[in-house]
Amino acid sequence: MHVLLHTPNATAGEWHAALAAALPEARVTRWPDAPRAIDYLAVWKPPPELFGAAPAVKAIFNLGAGVDALMRMPTLPAGVPVIRIEDGGMADQMVDYVTLAVLAAYREQRVYAAQQREGLWRQRPYRDKRAFGVGLLGLGVLGQCVAAALARFGFPLAGWSRERKTVAGVRTYAGASELPEFLSRSQMLVCLLPSTPATRGLLDRARLHQLPQGAHLVNAARGDIVVDADLVAALDDGHLASATLDVFHEEPLPRTHPFWQHPGITLTPHVSAITLVDVSVAQIAAKIRRLERGLAVTGVVDRERGY
Ligand code: NDP
Ligand code: OXD
């Protein structure tokens, strides 16, 4: 069995060694060193020509949770299952990232930081948690872990998905028709949606203004779900109090982009949750073994939906 690996990041050697160790029955090679018969691809942002080297590939493993970059590739072979990483050590990290942002917003950290810069000693009134609704856009692997972690803090939790979910302690909303009501009760909106044709540009001027006055946004999913200019306008006109952004239309975020200097924005360089090599490789190896035995695996992307 042959597995061809491609990852452009600095951990390519680590992925290679881990995959070879987890699948001793396979020959693992690293693009562009492609053998003739390739059974499985394990890729992150591959070059378009890579797929041409694997005409009989049985499955394509995406070395991350989001498959939007793969789905956009015209050379991606039709009819081959695309399998994404499910959690892969990312859920815990996402819980930390989102919890930090939610608590910072609820405890008005930005306001106190500004007061400190001015040398101001001014106590703000207690805020009732029951009036600080947290809305999770996306109730998938990450969204549900974040919901479970936030449950202990006592914020009213809501979640929005395509199909209605039942999640303990979370008021659930589904589909476009229920989005306005969901947004209207989200003092803190956390985006954990995949980037698909249905979600790109979702957070535009109209939707951002359906959030309550003074709401906060966290986007740790994909940059193109938010309309950048509309977000800046909503912060500038005071409708939104802050945005915590980990993902952007273009990454690295161009040095001249207004987000860098905006006083209402906290940004991080796509680090909210990093795919952990050992956990992910164990997941891929287990799935390859199941596929080899003709068994079904989870995490197969629905190409129609795009995630
Ligand atoms: P999942 O596929 O498990 O969950 C996606 C959720 O989004 C599901 O609840 C799904 O609804 C919902 N959804 C998708 N499309 C729509 C729609 N049109 N309307 C309403 N709801 C929709 O993904 P994960 O939780 O694993 O990951 C989510 C995203 O987070 C990834 O796609 C990736 O882009 C991003 N990510 C970012 C990272 C970072 O470091 N910044 C790290 C890891 C992931 P339903 O349940 O009904 O299918
Ligand atoms: C992912 C990511 O989708 O790292 O896994 O963004």
Side-chain angles (χ1 to χ4, degrees):
M1 186 209 313
H2 278 119
V3 181
L4 177 62
L5 170 73
H6 175 275
T7 169
N9 65 36
T11 58
E14 194 187 335
W15 279 100
H16 193 173
L19 209 46
L23 277 174
E25 66 272 41
R27 193 176 147 219
V28 181
T29 50
R30 215 153 106 195
W31 177 264
D33 173 18
R36 276 245 169 79
I38 294 160
D39 298 288
Y40 297 100
L41 294 175
V43 294
W44 183 248
K45 301 196 173 147
E49 64 276 18
L50 178 143
F51 298 112
V57 70
K58 296 179 201 170
I60 300 167
F61 287 89
N62 180 60
L63 300 181
V67 292
D68 45 301
L70 267 191
M71 291 298 124
R72 282 186 164 115
M73 294 185 70
T75 55
L76 182 72
V80 178
V82 172
I83 302 165
R84 69 189 197 92
I85 298 291
E86 298 168 282
D87 186 345
M90 289 180 274
D92 263 2
Q93 300 170 64
M94 198 56 94
V95 162
D96 293 346
Y97 189 91
V98 173
T99 304
L100 182 66
V102 169
L103 293 180
Y106 168 65
R107 294 301 301 247
E108 303 182 280
Q109 287 281 62
R110 303 185 79 84
V111 177
Y112 286 116
Q115 288 188 184
Q116 182 179 350
R117 283 193 296 274
E118 289 174 36
L120 271 182
W121 180 275
R122 187 181 294 156
Q123 295 169 341
R124 295 179 57 81
Y126 172 78
R127 297 172 93 189
D128 189 343
K129 278 188 177 169
R130 289 170 300 182
F132 196 81
V134 178
L136 302 168
L137 277 174
L139 276 176
V141 172
L142 300 180
Q144 291 203 29
C145 283
V146 169
L150 288 178
R152 64 172 287 268
F153 290 101
F155 301 114
L157 297 178
W160 184 70
S161 52
R162 250 169 70 109
E163 283 150 25
R164 187 173 311 286
K165 299 276 173 299
T166 304
V167 182
V170 180
R171 180 159 180 183
T172 56
Y173 295 81
S177 64
E178 296 184 10
L179 185 57
E181 191 190 331
F182 163 83
L183 292 173
S184 72
R185 46 98 62 224
S186 298
Q187 199 66 41
M188 179 93 205
L189 183 70
V190 179
C191 180
L192 291 170
L193 289 169
S195 165
T196 71
T199 64
R200 290 197 259 281
L202 184 81
L203 296 179
D204 60 5
R205 184 184 187 285
R207 299 231 172 71
L208 292 172
H209 279 82
Q210 282 165 2
L211 292 166
Q213 172 74 34
H216 304 261
L217 169 71
V218 177
N219 185 14
R222 286 292 182 266
D224 57 11
I225 298 169
V226 174
V227 179
D228 290 1
D230 292 356
L231 172 58
V232 170
L235 288 163
D236 287 345
D237 70 19
H239 190 74
L240 290 190
S242 81
T244 302
L245 307 174
D246 185 51
V247 286
F248 306 92
H249 283 255
E250 191 183 336
E251 295 180 4
L253 183 67
R255 204 59 204 91
T256 52
H257 196 288
F259 284 172
W260 281 110
Q261 303 303 334
H262 198 288
I265 291 177
T266 299
L267 64 84
T268 45
H270 201 138
V271 290
S272 55
I274 288 163
T275 314
L276 298 186
V277 176
D278 51 349
V279 187
S280 306
V281 159
Q283 190 178 107
I284 293 169
K287 287 184 180 178
I288 287 181
R289 292 204 180 99
R290 282 185 67 86
L291 293 172
E292 287 294 296
R293 285 159 53 213
L295 299 173
V297 297
T298 57
V300 178
V301 172
D302 178 330
R303 298 249 194 146
E304 277 291 301
R305 295 184 317 187
Y307 69 97

